[in-house]
Amino acid sequence: MATPGADIPRQVTQVREQLHEVFDDVLNVSDIAHFRGDGYEQRFLSRALAALAVRRVAKCSAAEAAQYVTDGIADQGLDAIAPLPELGQVLFVQAKWSDAGSATLDPAAAKAMVDGLNRIENELYEQFNQRAADLAVKARSLLVNEKATLVIALMGTVDLSPQTREVLDNALEEFNKYGTRLSVRVLLASDFYNQIHEDLRPEPINLEVRLDDWYQQKGTLEAYQGTVSAESVSEWYEQCGAGLFEQNLRAPLGITVTNVEIGQTLTSEPTMFWHLNNGLTMICDSLKARHDSAKAPQSRPTTLSVTGVSIVNGAQTVRAVAKAMRDEGEAAANATLSIKVINTGGDKDLGVRVSQAANRQNAIEARDYVALEPVHQRIKANLRAELRRQYVIKRGEPVPAPAIGCSLDELALALACLHPDAEQAARVASSTENLWEQGPNGSHTLLFGREPSPQKVWRSVLTLRAARSRVYELGNKREDREATVAEHGGFLIAHLLFQHLGAASIDDPDFDWDSEVLEKIETLVPELVKRLAHLIATLYGARAQIRTTFQDAAACRELVQQVLGQLADGIAVPEQPVKPRKPRRRNTVPLLVDRRLIKDGTPLHYEPLTEPERIAVAEWLAEDESRRQATWVNHRTRSILWAYDQQQYSASGLVSKIWLESGWDDQPVSNQGTARWCVADGRSLWDMAQAIHSEENDGTDEDGEDEA
């Protein structure tokens, strides 16, 4: 696999990698096999580019395109000759490859191409090499009697020069004297880049959906609702597999309690399945209905021919139905289930909206929603094209072997450790659910706001794997304070490795990541563990809880600053800790968000703390009960969704608004909002944070409350 250099554009690297993957085993290279290194590489790439040009214009397979390549001695300026009698045309291709993406066609090369056409016109086949001559014989009748196209395939970005255009225009004038039979088509780097990504996309799925008890939904979108047999659903899955769920939030999750229950209902009570199952939601790019009855169509079944299919709700049901049909098909075949088919007209954004809406009532995690973010599809496509690595996005999809790819979960962890702010390592140490938080300060936004390059993706994942493996190995060999640091500090240790060894160079193709980063992890991890163990004791006391220290963003930032400073100055690990100081308590809302102690949507209610406050707001609250009600949102700055106006506020900001709306003239300047918003059992947000502080037993002062 080629490694891109600093002067090679990423797009060129991706095209080159795919040319090798697609054409390595199908191109005839026997005449250039004796070349070595770049001598072979450039000749191969020129031929493969010519084949890709044929594939793009003729819409044929890679193997078919490869058969038309003539590149070599005596090809007479024609790198590929593609007779296409079924299309009534012939393609004559000249390809120019450039590692820098700057290929052009000079006038001399254009003249050679035109001379090749004249030789074919004049039946001078003996002047071609054998392969080209055989194709030229087949091409002549199409050139004379049908249509011909000169295809200029350039791995470059600049169109033909005026001088080259003049050569080709003269040829067009000569060949088209008695009717238009010759044309010119120029393919540039962007065309080839688009082609390889089109080839990497899954083929659209087309199905025949036969509906009973159906009706057509009225509205702006074409949609049908009806009943489909379990047998049909099983056949779809056997035919298409996981491709059915391309736009679903997640893939089938395998063996779960829910899926087992679905299977049991199918086999034990098949006639009840329609009543006990939510059914399927299917979106498609287009559909056409064929009714069994013309006069009374709804009295008989109808068949929908649907193209570009994706089942966006019901993946678990489909998988369970298919398994039940395989295991006990005779019983399950009697089951039916409801289905909704919506024609989105190919609108991808609308498809995402339907998928998200269709899944709101189920146990869908925040991670499932981010899986549909376009950035992950781009990462998947570019990682596959440039490095030939797989990227699994959806929960439930099989995770690739470590050597050939990674998952969204693994990449998110790696990027959190790579991030320059140690807070990201602290967040994932608290809960990996924090990785999927969106919004300006949400981890997912910060980590994926800009698409990471394929090189950054793969290097960060390899580094995290090596770091975690070494940390785990070290922790297993010890039974002391350092073992506890290794057990709970793995993410911060990975962060330190990135920052000390090579975070700034992770996108530099000329930086030797293996020797400068990966090979140094073995010896550096034990040193980092010792430094962290010593610093935690020094800064926070010998009794400080190591686990909660690694969950504290401020503590992590300070530890990173100290460790990197020591490493930069060449300071050895001190032997004795100094007297610790007391750190300030963490703010309530960020602490609760990091710990994911309260689930999104948990009901909250407002409780005044003082008698004057209670009197001032009582009448206004009594006018509308929703003024007292809210729900919790795991958001760092606006965590309260007020039932009264359906807007999000900070806890203290909403209390101030309630005071203002109720007309309380003597209200205090500030308030402790988290002490006034309570869950159903009466505990306030402040109480819940204090419980965490007590658990941590960090010995800090009791006056740490403030929040945005």
Side-chain angles (χ1 to χ4, degrees), residues 230-252:
E231 188 172 9
S232 294
V233 173
S234 176
E235 289 173 356
W236 301 342
Y237 186 73
E238 296 300 332
Q239 173 187 342
C240 307
L244 277 172
F245 318 116
E246 182 66 25
Q247 295 189 58
N248 203 329
L249 293 177
R250 62 187 181 194

Side-chain angles (χ1 to χ4, degrees), residues 24-61:
D24 268 346
D25 297 327
V26 295
L27 267 180
N28 185 346
V29 293
S30 57
D31 60 322
I32 61 172
H34 62 283
F35 287 99
R36 294 291 180 267
D38 199 52
Y40 174 85
E41 179 75 356
Q42 296 302 312
R43 287 171 173 81
F44 171 83
L45 291 172
S46 175
R47 295 186 181 192
L49 191 68
L52 188 61
V54 172
R55 166 154 170 66
R56 183 160 183 82
V57 176
K59 308 299 182 186
C60 62
S61 70

Side-chain angles (χ1 to χ4, degrees), residues 406-474:
C406 64
S407 66
L408 165 58
D409 304 75
E410 190 175 25
L411 176 59
L413 283 174
L415 294 181
C417 295
L418 173 65
H419 195 274
D421 189 346
E423 180 180 358
Q424 298 305 314
R427 288 186 186 181
V428 295
S430 295
S431 171
T432 55
E433 286 299 304
N434 290 318
L435 288 169
W436 321 124
E437 182 184 349
Q438 304 210 59
N441 297 314
S443 290
H444 183 268
T445 303
L446 294 173
L447 301 179
F448 293 99
R450 290 186 60 188
E451 178 195 343
S453 69
Q455 186 164 253
K456 185 174 185 178
V457 167
W458 196 238
R459 284 179 169 181
S460 65
V461 167
L462 291 180
T463 304
L464 178 63
R465 287 174 180 172
R468 297 181 80 177
S469 176
R470 185 67 177 106
V471 167
Y472 178 79
E473 177 188 0
L474 191 65

